[in-house]
Amino acid sequence: MTTESSTQAPPATSALLATVGNKVRAMRKEKGMTLAKLSETTGLSQAIVSQIERGMANPSFTTLAQLAHGLDIPVGKFFLGQEETRSPVVRKAERRNLKGVTKKSLGEAVYELLTPDQNGALEAQWIVSPPGHDTSATPFRHSGEEFGIILSGKKDIFLDGECHTLEAGDSITFSSDTPHWYKNSYEEVCVAIWVNAPHAW
């Protein structure tokens, strides 16, 4: 494999490398792949994949082909639509299902992306939690802040062990650094909108 170049590139090239890197990272996350998994699938080192995602390496075509194969996309997809502006509208039928990249403990809950992609400063989700849904086995903890509002049903939100029961119309805001988990202990399906800043997935 050709050694990747990490020397200072001209501005136009740097912009292209940043675009390619952003697309690699976004596609990897969409598929629920870690750096280690993509490295294993492509045969590339984690260091090279990380440098490419950050726009710090100038990958050869062979390397791009390996990345495309690992992500199961055409290699040209890294470059198509560089100037394309994504629609700010997300139609109900076109919401991206995040279930493929959630933890197993999330069970049969529905997690759909309400924002156009995961490249922005915030991420909004449509969450449907069936009765008995419980994430207490694997509490969440990450950087940022969260806001949630219950549209229907009820849900228990635990913040560092303290339970807050929310009903339709109730909302909650908290630091994502606080260990948190969710439980639907009730007989009705709970529908909620959840916002993370920055995105959590």
Side-chain angles (χ1 to χ4, degrees), residues 20-75:
V20 171
N22 287 335
K23 288 188 176 182
V24 171
R25 181 172 59 251
M27 292 174 189
R28 172 175 64 79
K29 289 185 175 182
E30 283 178 15
K31 294 178 180 293
M33 300 177 75
T34 62
L35 273 173
K37 181 62 177 178
L38 184 56
S39 172
E40 177 186 345
T41 304
T42 60
L44 301 170
S45 71
Q46 287 191 53
I48 287 297
V49 175
S50 177
Q51 287 179 6
I52 292 171
E53 287 192 356
R54 290 178 288 149
M56 298 175 63
N58 190 351
S60 66
F61 181 80
T62 300
T63 297
L64 289 176
Q66 287 174 273
L67 285 169
H69 177 74
L71 293 166
D72 193 28
I73 60 168
V75 69

Side-chain angles (χ1 to χ4, degrees), residues 100-112:
V101 294
T102 59
K103 297 181 179 179
K104 291 181 180 178
S105 62
L106 296 181
E108 296 303 315
V110 173
Y111 284 72
E112 295 179 332

